[in-house]
Amino acid sequence: MPAALAPVLFACSASQPAQQPLSPQALAAVIDDPGVEREGLARAIDALFTADESAAAQGAGETRAVIVMRAGRIVAERYGPGYHENTRFAGGGIARSITAVMVGMLVSDGRLRLNETAPVPAWQRPGDPRGEITLRHLLQMRSGLREEPGDEARMLFGPGRDDMAGAAEDQPLAAEPGARFQDDAASGIILADLAARVLAPGGDADARRRAVADYLRTRLFEPVQMRGIVPSYDAHGTMNGGAMIDATARDFARFGEFLRNRGAVHGAQLVPRQWIEFMASPSPREKQYGAGVWLNRTPTDSEPRLFPARGPRDMMAALGDGGQAVLVSPARKLVVVRLGATPRDGDAALMGKLGDIVALFR
């Protein structure tokens, strides 16, 4: 493990305020010079792990891992009981951000085109209005494809689970392509299918799986040193690019650091800087979403996913259901990873606590 990523742990030695004692692990999880007031950071992280009735009532849920990186160095790292640095956590929708980077590499290679019709064979029939859907639309989750309550569950776990992309691509349009934003997992799965089609044209399920896995391993995972990451694939050989990917907390932190450095690792540009800037640019239909990442902007027509009233404007985030979060601020040289289990109505409470951590850094 590179020295820059090796956390330094210190035993608790400072006296604790009697009115609000820190847990035994709190100070030990923060290095001696994190770039901010050490006890303040320890308390902000501890608030995520506090599992008393008041915390549960606020809805933040159970936190299992937190990593804070500043300027490429881990300044805080803490795990809940039963979890550790080698635990693989379900990242959920963080997969969308990884898929968006993979698509950017394929666009840079000249194998996909951002503003042309997405090459889905079923959409190429004469008169099919889905032929107007572009790669850009899919990346910005404004394809216009119908997604009703229960569709995602049927695609991921029900009748469509063996060919998720086929189930997603069979959906009719509910809106003109590009006209509206809709948070969905289907777009990421369709993008992963397009990647498999260009990397293994005409290939069977095993060939598709191998081609995508090798591409991600050699072009992204190995250079970024995401050694514990495990994407999932369906029986058709399509990666679940919208909702399922497992990795260690440090893997997710390294991915956040890759985004913070705008697609570069040790000076080597793995994906064009302009692609990361595109990912971090507001979509025409939803200002708090870019292309594969959420943005710390006032939303166009929904509830805030982050904390635009007090956080850095340049912050982008890879988010997954259950409160999985990789927060990235290039201006503050900051990456914050939180993994755990948060109920659907607890996102605002969780983001409030994460916002407290981010606010400590300038």
Side-chain angles (χ1 to χ4, degrees), residues 96 114-115 123 129-130 132-147 172-188 190-191 278 281-287 289-292 300:
R96 302 179 196 180
L114 181 62
N115 295 311
W123 298 352
R130 297 173 300 181
E132 299 299 317
I133 300 172
T134 66
L135 215 63
R136 183 186 294 269
H137 292 150
L138 290 165
L139 286 160
Q140 295 176 334
M141 292 202 295
R142 53 190 185 102
S143 68
L145 292 171
R146 186 189 70 189
E147 183 168 308
L173 286 180
E176 180 183 351
R180 78 176 189 188
F181 171 84
Q182 179 168 318
D183 185 358
D184 64 23
S187 294
I190 294 170
L191 289 166
F278 161 65
S281 299
S283 162
R285 299 302 177 188
E286 179 50 73
K287 294 177 182 177
Y289 195 77
T300 300

Side-chain angles (χ1 to χ4, degrees), residues 100-110 215 219-220 258 270-271:
V101 169
M102 175 176 66
V103 170
M105 291 175 171
L106 290 167
V107 170
S108 178
D109 292 347
Y215 190 82
R219 296 289 295 271
L220 181 63
F258 163 81
L270 303 187
V271 67

Side-chain angles (χ1 to χ4, degrees), residues 21-356:
L22 284 168
S23 67
Q25 306 98 320
L27 272 177
V30 180
I31 70 170
D32 191 42
D33 182 16
V36 297
E37 199 272 317
R38 185 185 180 203
E39 184 172 321
L41 179 56
R43 288 187 181 280
I45 293 172
D46 194 52
L48 285 166
F49 286 89
T50 303
D52 58 18
E53 292 183 1
S54 61
Q58 293 171 7
E62 175 196 357
T63 293
R64 297 167 180 170
V66 171
I67 292 180
V68 180
M69 293 184 72
R70 181 73 182 279
R73 177 179 69 152
I74 291 180
V75 299
E77 181 173 24
R78 183 172 166 186
Y79 297 93
Y83 303 97
H84 49 78
E85 65 188 56
N86 294 319
T87 300
R88 285 195 180 101
F89 297 90
I94 294 174
R96 302 179 196 180
S97 304
I98 293 170
T99 300
V101 169
M102 175 176 66
V103 170
M105 291 175 171
L106 290 167
V107 170
S108 178
D109 292 347
R111 305 178 83 165
L112 288 172
R113 291 176 172 80
L114 181 62
N115 295 311
E116 294 186 4
T117 299
V120 176
W123 298 352
Q124 309 308 312
R125 294 186 293 263
D128 193 323
R130 297 173 300 181
E132 299 299 317
I133 300 172
T134 66
L135 215 63
R136 183 186 294 269
H137 292 150
L138 290 165
L139 286 160
Q140 295 176 334
M141 292 202 295
R142 53 190 185 102
S143 68
L145 292 171
R146 186 189 70 189
E147 183 168 308
E148 297 178 345
D151 282 350
E152 182 175 328
R154 285 189 287 272
M155 177 180 62
L156 298 179
F157 310 110
R161 66 184 181 275
D162 290 338
D163 184 6
M164 296 180 296
E169 292 161 3
D170 281 346
Q171 293 299 307
L173 286 180
E176 180 183 351
R180 78 176 189 188
F181 171 84
Q182 179 168 318
D183 185 358
D184 64 23
S187 294
I189 292 169
I190 294 170
L191 289 166
D193 176 49
L194 296 178
R197 289 181 186 276
V198 299
L199 291 171
D204 60 15
D206 286 341
R208 285 165 55 89
R209 187 183 303 109
R210 284 196 307 271
V212 171
D214 288 348
Y215 190 82
L216 282 170
R217 177 179 54 80
T218 58
R219 296 289 295 271
L220 181 63
F221 297 157
E222 286 184 352
V224 178
Q225 299 186 46
M226 299 168 70
R227 300 187 182 96
I229 193 163
V230 181
S232 66
Y233 296 82
D234 67 12
H236 195 61
T238 303
M239 184 181 79
N240 188 330
M244 293 181 185
I245 199 160
D246 294 348
T248 68
R250 292 183 184 181
D251 288 330
F252 287 129
R254 292 185 181 99
F255 180 67
E257 185 68 6
F258 163 81
L259 293 178
R260 184 184 75 81
N261 286 300
R262 294 176 173 85
V265 176
H266 302 306
Q269 203 71 42
L270 303 187
V271 67
R273 179 187 179 97
Q274 293 86 345
W275 185 264
I276 303 299
E277 291 171 351
F278 161 65
M279 288 176 61
S281 299
S283 162
R285 299 302 177 188
E286 179 50 73
K287 294 177 182 177
Q288 70 168 339
Y289 195 77
V293 292
W294 293 90
L295 309 177
N296 200 31
R297 307 292 182 93
T298 301
T300 300
D301 189 27
S302 57
E303 293 298 316
R305 290 297 302 270
L306 300 179
F307 31 87
R310 63 185 181 125
R313 186 173 174 82
D314 75 326
M315 177 162 281
M316 63 184 108
L319 301 179
D321 286 347
Q324 320 319 318
V326 180
L327 308 181
V328 180
S329 173
R332 298 191 185 182
K333 301 181 180 179
L334 186 66
V335 174
V336 178
V337 174
R338 185 273 185 180
L339 303 164
T342 296
R344 287 187 176 273
D345 61 356
D347 286 345
L350 173 63
M351 283 299 159
K353 293 176 183 293
L354 291 174
D356 291 341

